[in-house]
Amino acid sequence: MKIGMVCYPTFGGSGVVATELGIALADKGYEVHFITYKQPVKLELLSHHIHFHEVVVPQYPLFQYQPYELALSSKLVNVVREHKLDLLHVHYAIPHAYAGYMAKKMLEEVGIKIPMVTTLHGTDITLVGNHPFYKPAVTFSINKSDAVTSVSESLKNDTLRLFDVQREIDVVPNFIDLEKHTNTFTDCQRGMMAQENERIITHVSNLRPVKRIMDVIAVFYKIQQSIPSKLIMVGEGPEKEGAEALCHKLGIADKVLFLGNSDEVNKILCFTDLFLLPSEKESFGLSALEAMASGVPVVSTNTGGLPEVNEHGISGYLNEIGDVEGMAAHALAILKDEDTLKQFKKRAKESATKFQTDNIVPLYEAVYEKALSVA
Ligand code: GMT
């Protein structure tokens, strides 16, 4: 089967999932064509099973906003025709499902029928897509997809609650290649980051307001009052400056390292003792799963799909949004002694196994079969 994969090529979770899915499908013999404006960050190896087609948007001074959807739908038409694709899989509804539907309609004009699968990732439903400016177009393109998947039960429920959706939604959770996250490094180079007696706490995200970055700093502030520790902040985003300022104000700037975007998150997780994710909204929490796969317990909020990933009292703990005291108390409960920490690390890894690639990719294959049969 030849699949056109449409996604955001940047560090966001939806692009990572699309890329990992494309790679896993190519390993199974599918021909996968990524169609996006830049080569996806995690797509290192192009092979005869993996192709990349760049969507170029020519700049024209008349346009205040350059029409990316138009360029994408035209590119989709051309790639589908040239490479005889069988199916389109678009990740993140805005504007990919809309552009995909336009491409489908244009292809119908020349006698080509191609099904479109839309995967909803989170903010395309809960934050951006729900805005009245976008809602009619998002509702329309979800309803016009031949199959729709969401990355958690919680996101499925949000979609049905917030949108007038007539389509069935299949839940296909995000997944992880456990081998990549198995600590094969003999030396995690922990010494580069912290003293022997210090615990290492990590947060990875796009540092947007929805991640509640100030709560990360506030929770860490309380942890370091009881246990010698360091905080590693990975990612770039609009909250970074404010978070750095807060660290200075609290007098903990020397204990917090802002590393920026990194494609070596696995190495950082290798020496991490605890992962913090105090998000306001999180449809799944791929970064929490990545931490768990590396044997790192997670203290997170109980929002959205997080309870489907982080098992309370097993892989870590869940707290109400904004409950800084509770998150700090749970972090200290995990970090208090070697034995407890060891138990949580072991169980975090075990909890991650149900999301391993081999368990989840067949669910997408079944969705593809279903879309092909209804289109
Ligand atoms: O975390 C983000 O804001 C990025 C966003 C994306 O679309 O790339 O993440 C969403 O999709 C991820 C992959 O499915 C999920 O793991 C994240 O929970 C989800 N983010 C939110 O719902 C805020």
Side-chain angles (χ1 to χ4, degrees):
M1 195 194 294
K2 295 183 182 182
I3 299 164
M5 199 70 84
V6 180
C7 64
Y8 284 108
T10 49
F11 278 94
S14 60
V16 171
V17 170
T19 308
E20 295 291 348
L21 176 61
I23 294 169
L25 290 167
D27 283 348
K28 290 182 113 176
Y30 291 81
E31 191 176 298
V32 183
H33 293 254
F34 284 91
I35 306 153
T36 178
Y37 61 83
K38 202 174 82 184
Q39 184 164 326
V41 278
K42 300 248 171 172
L43 194 68
E44 286 142 11
L45 288 175
L46 294 174
S47 70
H48 66 289
H49 282 311
I50 298 186
H51 305 254
F52 165 60
H53 308 275
E54 186 181 352
V55 180
V56 179
V57 188
Q59 302 289 309
Y60 188 65
L62 176 68
F63 304 138
Q64 188 176 355
Y65 307 105
Q66 307 300 322
Y68 180 68
E69 296 91 297
L70 220 61
L72 174 60
S73 52
S74 297
K75 188 77 181 180
L76 289 173
V77 168
N78 294 339
V79 175
V80 169
R81 293 185 79 174
E82 193 179 331
H83 295 274
K84 302 197 171 15
L85 302 190
D86 300 301
L87 180 137
L88 290 175
H89 186 175
V90 304
H91 290 261
Y92 207 90
I94 305 169
H96 300 149
Y98 193 75
Y101 177 71
M102 290 315 294
K104 238 175 97 87
K105 286 315 240 187
M106 284 187 266
L107 287 160
E108 267 173 36
E109 293 291 313
V110 291
I112 298 173
K113 280 197 99 178
I114 184 160
M116 177 175 78
V117 176
T118 298
T119 290
L120 308 172
H121 278 274
T123 45
D124 47 353
I125 293 299
T126 56
L127 215 64
V128 194
N130 191 30
H131 195 287
F133 289 169
Y134 296 120
K135 203 168 181 172
V138 174
T139 310
F140 172 82
S141 42
I142 292 174
N143 281 328
K144 291 292 179 187
S145 303
D146 296 290
V148 180
T149 76
S150 73
V151 298
S152 62
E153 282 293 340
S154 155
L155 183 60
K156 175 180 172 173
N157 294 336
D158 284 342
T159 310
L160 296 174
R161 182 171 49 83
L162 298 169
F163 294 81
D164 182 15
V165 167
Q166 273 102 44
R167 282 252 148 253
E168 191 188 336
I169 300 176
D170 291 303
V171 175
V172 180
N174 289 334
F175 59 91
I176 194 109
D177 180 345
L178 275 180
E179 263 173 43
K180 274 194 205 160
H181 286 265
T182 298
N183 292 343
T184 44
F185 316 105
T186 43
D187 173 14
C188 279
Q189 296 180 310
R190 189 186 172 98
M192 273 178 16
M193 293 292 168
Q195 309 286 329
E196 192 68 27
N197 65 332
E198 287 176 321
R199 298 289 196 208
I200 299 182
I201 293 118
T202 296
H203 171 81
V204 182
S205 79
N206 49 27
L207 308 190
R208 298 216 177 107
V210 75
K211 304 290 176 183
R212 294 185 68 100
I213 302 307
M214 303 312 158
D215 284 2
V216 177
I217 307 296
V219 172
F220 174 70
Y221 179 71
K222 291 189 176 295
I223 297 172
Q224 60 83 45
Q225 284 179 322
S226 299
I227 295 182
S229 43
K230 285 266 161 60
L231 173 65
I232 300 177
M233 300 288 289
V234 183
E236 289 291 346
E239 296 291 275
K240 185 174 173 184
E241 221 176 289
E244 283 173 325
L246 181 59
C247 291
H248 281 285
K249 195 174 148 204
L250 295 171
I252 54 169
D254 57 331
K255 296 181 180 177
V256 185
L257 288 95
F258 286 86
L259 297 187
N261 283 333
S262 170
D263 46 20
E264 295 199 309
V265 172
N266 288 0
K267 282 195 188 159
I268 298 165
L269 291 172
C270 172
F271 49 66
T272 294
D273 297 306
L274 182 82
F275 191 82
L276 285 179
L277 194 61
S279 307
E280 176 105 34
K281 290 185 195 309
E282 204 68 71
S283 65
F284 183 88
L286 186 62
S287 60
L289 177 60
E290 286 176 349
M292 287 159 56
S294 291
V296 178
V298 174
V299 168
S300 71
T301 50
N302 56 9
T303 189
L306 279 171
E308 295 170 51
V309 180
N310 184 19
E311 294 180 78
H312 188 68
I314 296 169
S315 58
Y317 287 108
L318 299 162
N319 288 82
E320 295 296 325
I321 297 164
D323 181 8
V324 168
E325 295 286 341
M327 284 185 269
H330 277 142
L332 290 171
I334 293 172
L335 296 171
K336 65 181 179 199
D337 63 69
E338 285 305 325
D339 265 1
T340 311
L341 179 58
K342 218 166 139 190
Q343 288 302 316
F344 269 99
K345 285 188 168 191
K346 186 167 166 279
R347 293 197 304 255
K349 195 159 184 91
E350 281 163 8
S351 295
T353 56
K354 64 173 176 282
F355 298 104
Q356 58 185 316
T357 310
D358 294 350
N359 294 342
I360 309 298
V361 173
L363 303 180
Y364 275 119
E365 291 177 281
V367 171
Y368 293 166
E369 290 305 331
K370 189 163 88 173
L372 282 162
S373 69
V374 296

